[in-house]
Amino acid sequence: MANPYMALAIEEARAGIRAGHGGPFGCVIVKDGTVVGRGHNEVIHRRDPTCHGEVMAIREACKALGTHDLSGCELYTTAEPCPMCRGAILWANIRKVHFGCTIADTDGIGFRDREFFEGTFDIEHETDRAECLEVFREYQSIQDKQAY
């Protein structure tokens, strides 16, 4: 194994599948040469479709570092991140992602990631915008806020 961090992501994936937690997706997050977060797919175990390996690792890294901003971290994952995980990675300010398998590889073992990249769902329509804008204005008036 050439990359020790990817080896840890693979170990995490194996631990998850052997425990029956979910698919073969493991992840580690590294900052300054130290692993600060790790996670594996726990969708089945937690009965929660958001518990992908990357999301679990982001949650652990945020807790370990005491922040929601993971700037300067690198993420290693066994598969190319799905759109949900890509969003979480971007919101966490992680700018360097290393992945092993591709979306085509995940399709090949029965996952449907490609479907989410192709946008095969209906976008809902705007509802009660004026009321929602009131909440936005309330938030905007708060002095000490983070734009996350």
Side-chain angles (χ1 to χ4, degrees), residues 68 139 144-148:
H68 62 280
Y139 174 76
D144 297 322
K145 64 179 177 279
Q146 297 276 332
Y148 282 89

Side-chain angles (χ1 to χ4, degrees), residues 22-88:
F25 308 107
C27 180
V28 296
I29 297 174
V30 179
K31 182 161 189 173
D32 301 325
T34 301
V35 174
V36 294
R38 52 175 64 222
H40 59 262
N41 184 293
E42 295 191 43
V43 169
I44 303 301
H45 175 65
R46 294 182 185 259
R47 296 179 181 99
D48 181 342
T50 67
C51 290
H52 289 196
E54 295 92 338
V55 172
M56 302 305 287
I58 287 169
R59 290 173 181 163
E60 186 174 284
C62 288
K63 186 175 181 181
L65 297 174
T67 182
H68 62 280
D69 185 350
L70 300 180
S71 295
C73 291
E74 293 187 34
L75 186 144
Y76 293 80
T77 182
T78 55
E80 187 174 352
C82 73
M84 177 185 70
C85 292
R86 285 173 184 254

Side-chain angles (χ1 to χ4, degrees), residues 105-119:
D105 296 325
T106 59
D107 280 357
I109 62 168
F111 288 84
R112 56 191 178 111
D113 292 37
R114 184 175 312 283
E115 181 179 319
F116 296 97
F117 282 99
E118 294 170 355

